């Protein structure tokens, strides 16, 4: 269990919703269950999760979490716990929520139950709605994340200066982008992580949730960006990734992304 989770348990400052993110899906579930058990133990409830009627695990079946599962979860969410204190739900592999299920899940996060804690797990938060991410405290497990070959520090500098209105900074760094032509998906992942970290920090002010801790000095100054603006950029990144499969020109795609980001400098 991470230090931030331990401190929240000690200080009785548990959030109503979490996202546990890591590449290893089994490890995500293991950690979510450990945290769930500790939440109950904090309330002097020592039953194992298997025997605890106030714990529920929702998992994907054949890569899908159905709308029926989420509807049943929503009905149960506002029923009073048997123990009279708290309930814990784990939605495992929530990156497998389909659109209808994701929207139903969002409603549960927008109207939190006073006695429920929801723990989502995912192998990549990029596959979740930004509106869901903004309502969760994101816990990263760095030991489960793939090493990136992208210079994220340099990338953040470029994005930051473009958002401050200096479009020439892109042209002065053309060689940087050309060097990632064979790693274009990783480069776009870096863009997406930066903007989603802006969104997350905008609402949580939690430095520990940032993908790259050194981003904080820039991200603090970019929280003026609206949810709609961030979602527009993230959606464009997804569309560009798809277009790469159709052999869309790399440089044209990056320039389109950069100019779209620059528009928000005004």
């Amino acid at each position: 269990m991470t230090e931030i989770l331990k401190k929240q348990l000690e200080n009785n400052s548990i959030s109503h919703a979490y996202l546990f993110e890591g590449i290893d899906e089994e490890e995500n579930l293991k950690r979510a269950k450990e945290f769930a058990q500790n939440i109950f133990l904090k309330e002097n409830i020592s039953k194992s999760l298997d025997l605890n009627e106030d714990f529920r695990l929702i998992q994907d079946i054949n890569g899908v979490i159905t709308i029926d599962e989420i509807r049943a979860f929503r009905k149960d969410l506002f029923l009073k716990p048997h123990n009279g204190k708290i309930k814990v739900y784990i939605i495992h592999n929530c990156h497998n929520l389909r659109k209808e299920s994701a929207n139903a899940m969002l409603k549960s996060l927008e109207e939190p139950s006073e006695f429920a804690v929801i723990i989502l797990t995912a192998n990549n938060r990029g596959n979740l709605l930004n509106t869901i991410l903004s309502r969760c405290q994101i816990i990263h497990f760095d030991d489960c994340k793939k090493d990136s070959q992208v210079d994220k520090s340099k990338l953040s500098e470029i994005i930051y200066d473009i958002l401050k209105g200096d479009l020439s900074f892109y042209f002065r760094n053309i060689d940087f982008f050309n060097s990632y032509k064979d790693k274009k998906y990783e480069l776009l992942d870096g863009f997406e992580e930066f903007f989603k970290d802006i969104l997350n920090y905008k609402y949580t002010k939690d430095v520990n949730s940032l993908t790259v801790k050194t981003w904080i000095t820039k991200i603090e100054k970019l929280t003026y960006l609206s949810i709609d603006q961030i979602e527009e950029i993230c959606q464009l990144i997804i569309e560009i990734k798809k277009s790469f499969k159709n052999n869309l020109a790399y440089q044209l795609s990056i320039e389109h992304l950069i100019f779209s980001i620059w528009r928000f400098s005004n």
Side-chain angles (χ1 to χ4, degrees), residues 187-204:
L187 179 65
L188 289 177
D189 285 344
F191 272 99
E192 192 171 13
E193 286 173 355
F194 185 75
F195 280 96
K196 290 195 171 179
D197 271 5
I198 295 173
L199 182 65
N200 186 43
Y201 185 77
K202 183 181 177 78
Y203 289 99
T204 67

Side-chain angles (χ1 to χ4, degrees), residues 118-135:
I118 302 170
I119 306 171
L120 310 178
T121 76
N123 59 20
N124 184 351
R125 59 179 159 149
N127 295 322
L128 304 180
L129 295 175
N130 290 328
T131 42
I132 286 180
L133 295 176
S134 68
R135 288 162 176 80

Side-chain angles (χ1 to χ4, degrees), residues 9-257:
L9 284 168
E10 291 169 2
N11 299 329
N12 295 314
S13 57
I14 297 171
S15 298
H16 78 276
Y18 293 87
L19 171 64
F20 283 17
E21 179 193 32
I23 294 298
D24 190 326
E25 295 174 359
E26 290 185 10
E27 192 66 22
N28 291 343
L29 180 57
K30 178 182 175 182
R31 284 165 160 156
K33 284 183 173 181
E34 177 190 14
F35 185 49
Q37 189 68 73
N38 277 282
I39 290 172
F40 285 117
L41 289 173
K42 180 70 177 177
E43 299 293 341
N44 296 315
I45 301 163
S46 57
K47 286 184 180 179
S48 68
L49 295 182
D50 292 340
L51 301 175
N52 192 333
E53 56 269 46
D54 290 311
F55 169 75
R56 185 172 176 190
L57 170 62
I58 299 170
Q59 302 192 72
D60 58 326
I61 300 174
N62 297 323
V64 176
I65 297 177
T66 67
I67 184 60
D68 290 337
E69 282 275 13
I70 300 302
R71 284 173 177 160
F73 151 73
R74 280 180 52 75
K75 286 180 182 178
D76 188 71
L77 187 63
F78 292 94
L79 298 177
K80 290 185 178 179
H82 292 82
N83 60 48
K85 296 178 180 179
I86 197 162
K87 304 168 81 171
V88 181
Y89 299 86
I90 294 176
I91 317 295
H92 182 44
N93 285 345
C94 66
H95 50 268
N96 288 324
L97 287 166
R98 294 298 181 261
K99 184 175 181 180
E100 189 179 12
S101 302
N103 287 329
M105 172 60 68
L106 176 59
K107 290 180 182 178
S108 302
L109 298 174
E110 289 174 332
E111 306 163 357
S113 165
E114 61 180 334
F115 39 69
V117 177
I118 302 170
I119 306 171
L120 310 178
T121 76
N123 59 20
N124 184 351
R125 59 179 159 149
N127 295 322
L128 304 180
L129 295 175
N130 290 328
T131 42
I132 286 180
L133 295 176
S134 68
R135 288 162 176 80
C136 296
Q137 179 170 359
I138 300 175
I139 305 295
H140 299 280
F141 298 116
D142 293 332
D143 56 321
C144 296
K145 294 179 77 69
K146 295 183 291 186
D147 292 333
S148 173
Q149 297 180 38
V150 174
D151 184 346
K152 293 181 180 179
S153 178
K154 180 67 174 178
L155 179 61
S156 70
E157 273 183 44
I158 296 171
I159 297 172
Y160 177 77
D161 281 296
I162 289 168
L163 281 168
K164 302 310 282 186
D166 186 1
L167 186 58
S168 68
F169 204 74
Y170 164 68
F171 295 103
R172 295 200 303 271
N173 287 277
I174 286 287
D175 288 345
F176 171 84
F177 290 100
N178 288 341
S179 69
Y180 290 108
K181 189 171 183 178
D182 294 331
K183 302 185 184 75
K184 53 194 175 188
Y185 291 103
E186 276 195 64
L187 179 65
L188 289 177
D189 285 344
F191 272 99
E192 192 171 13
E193 286 173 355
F194 185 75
F195 280 96
K196 290 195 171 179
D197 271 5
I198 295 173
L199 182 65
N200 186 43
Y201 185 77
K202 183 181 177 78
Y203 289 99
T204 67
K205 305 300 181 187
D206 179 16
V207 177
N208 292 314
S209 70
L210 298 182
T211 308
V212 180
K213 302 297 185 292
T214 56
W215 282 353
I216 183 60
T217 55
K218 299 179 180 68
I219 282 178
E220 282 179 325
K221 298 175 183 177
L222 296 176
T223 53
Y224 67 84
L225 291 171
S226 69
I227 291 177
D228 288 342
Q229 289 172 324
I230 296 172
E231 286 188 338
E232 182 178 333
I233 290 298
C234 290
Q235 185 57 43
L236 177 58
I237 291 168
I238 291 170
E239 290 171 4
I240 290 174
K241 284 181 181 178
K242 290 178 181 177
S243 70
F244 281 154
K245 295 177 181 177
N246 298 321
N247 297 317
L248 191 71
Y250 170 75
Q251 188 169 342
L252 286 176
S253 299
I254 295 300
E255 287 185 0
H256 178 39
L257 176 57

